[in-house]
């Protein structure tokens, strides 16, 4: 998979890709992530990428021309499956969307800023709009990092234990069951006996029951 991220603040976005699982995925060549600073496609000497909105109102808007230049250049180099715009009015990200997007080969992710992008960017280039929740961030960068993390960890070979992503919360619309590690008794709080039994079919059944119980209690909406 290849991901091209277009942003006015690449420095805000880079560190999640420089640690842990995402770093390892990049080192293992399972994913390529490229950052494109929109200012490199700006107009004139002032490196302008945003302007006041027509009709008045607070807040700057990212201009269509630099974004057009950047996306058009990328599209000349390869075909993209999706051009995603991170925006609070997009589809709310969930595991189903992450699973779907993780199957794509080439993605462009555009991070909005200030009041967002000129509507014509959305009309012309964007194939999918994704929000990470009903709250407003200062820009799309942190949202893009969340999206990238959720899809990259699903790529084959990224997680050590291949089955691990399949047992995540939400993969079957259920929350994950509780997990324990050593010690088996901590200040009198004991690990459930069943997990120490070595009886794997029974353990599996217990985990399914726990997942169902947790979901019923905490997120009944997932069961509808
Ligand atoms: N940009 C600003 N807020 C956002 C959100 N909640 N999701 C995605 N992109 C955003």
């Amino acid at each position: 998979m290849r991901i091209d991220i277009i942003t006015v603040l690449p420095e805000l976005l880079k560190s999640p890709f420089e640690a842990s699982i995402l770093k390892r995925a990049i080192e293992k060549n399972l994913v390529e992530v490229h950052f494109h600073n929109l200012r490199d496609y700006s107009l004139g000497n002032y490196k302008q990428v945003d302007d006041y909105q027509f009709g008045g109102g607070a807040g700057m808007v990212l201009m269509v021309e630099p974004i057009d230049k950047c996306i058009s250049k990328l599209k000349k180099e390869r075909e993209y499956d999706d051009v995603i715009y991170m925006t609070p009015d997009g589809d709310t990200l969930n595991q189903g969307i992450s699973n779907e997007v993780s199957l794509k080969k080439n993605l462009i992710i555009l991070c909005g800023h200030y009041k967002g992008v000129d509507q014509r960017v959305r009309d012309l280039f964007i194939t999918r709009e994704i929000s990470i929740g009903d709250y407003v961030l200062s820009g799309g960068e942190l949202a893009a990092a969340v999206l990238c993390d959720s899809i990259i960890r699903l790529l084959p070979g990224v997680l050590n234990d291949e089955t691990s992503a399949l047992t995540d919360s939400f993969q079957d619309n259920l929350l994950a069951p509780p997990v324990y590690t050593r010690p088996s008794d901590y200040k009198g709080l004991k690990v459930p006996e069943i997990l120490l039994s070595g009886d794997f079919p029974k353990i599996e059944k217990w985990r399914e029951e726990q997942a169902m119980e947790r979901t019923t209690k905490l997120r009944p909406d997932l069961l509808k």
Side-chain angles (χ1 to χ4, degrees):
M1 169 181 273
R2 175 185 167 115
I3 307 175
D4 288 280
I5 306 178
I6 304 172
T7 166
V8 286
L9 280 172
E11 64 276 18
L12 183 59
L13 193 53
K14 281 186 176 164
S15 70
F17 298 90
E18 291 164 0
S20 188
I21 289 174
L22 299 193
K23 180 183 181 198
R24 201 149 26 97
I26 291 167
E27 283 172 356
K28 286 207 240 168
N29 286 322
L30 299 170
V31 62
E32 268 179 49
V33 183
H34 299 267
F35 302 94
H36 304 276
N37 191 336
L38 198 56
R39 290 204 193 275
D40 295 339
Y41 301 84
S42 59
L43 317 173
N45 293 336
Y46 294 105
K47 299 218 171 255
Q48 187 178 6
V49 291
D50 56 356
D51 210 338
Y52 297 100
Q53 51 180 316
F54 281 125
M60 305 296 274
V61 175
L62 289 176
M63 302 162 89
V64 61
E65 201 174 335
I67 295 172
D68 183 355
K69 277 210 282 193
C70 184
I71 291 179
S72 299
K73 175 176 169 272
L74 288 170
K75 280 185 163 176
K76 267 193 212 121
E77 293 162 6
R78 68 195 62 75
E79 277 202 26
Y80 285 90
D81 302 297
D82 260 323
V83 182
I84 299 172
Y85 175 49
M86 304 309 300
T87 173
D89 54 10
D91 295 332
T92 308
L93 184 62
N94 58 31
Q95 193 63 47
I97 294 178
S98 295
N99 291 349
E100 200 187 303
V101 176
S102 76
L103 300 173
K104 311 283 184 185
K105 236 181 100 215
N106 295 317
L107 295 174
I108 291 175
I109 301 178
L110 173 64
C111 304
H113 238 272
Y114 320 113
K115 276 285 156 199
V117 297
D118 188 306
Q119 178 59 37
R120 290 165 293 185
V121 171
R122 300 167 79 158
D123 298 341
L124 281 172
F125 302 113
I126 301 302
T127 60
R128 173 157 222 166
E129 302 190 327
I130 296 179
S131 161
I132 63 162
D134 290 342
Y135 41 84
V136 177
L137 303 166
S138 322
E141 284 75 15
L142 297 178
V146 168
L147 174 66
C148 287
D149 185 297
S150 79
I151 59 182
I152 290 172
R153 63 194 299 287
L154 297 174
L155 301 177
V158 169
L159 296 183
N160 284 334
D161 180 352
E162 285 273 356
T163 62
S164 175
L166 294 176
T167 58
D168 285 343
S169 279
F170 304 115
Q171 272 303 2
D172 40 17
N173 255 351
L174 292 177
L175 302 182
V179 293
Y180 297 86
T181 185
R182 288 187 298 176
S184 60
D185 184 334
Y186 185 68
K187 297 182 177 173
L189 290 172
K190 294 197 174 66
V191 171
E193 203 70 49
I194 179 95
L195 295 177
L196 310 173
S197 69
D199 184 338
F200 293 107
K202 263 200 181 154
I203 290 173
E204 200 41 48
K205 187 160 169 281
W206 179 86
R207 286 183 169 150
E208 282 166 17
E209 286 163 5
Q210 288 291 314
M212 184 56 81
E213 210 175 280
R214 264 197 175 181
T215 312
T216 307
K217 194 166 150 218
L218 301 173
R219 290 294 306 275
D221 56 298
L222 293 174
L223 299 171
K224 281 185 202 126

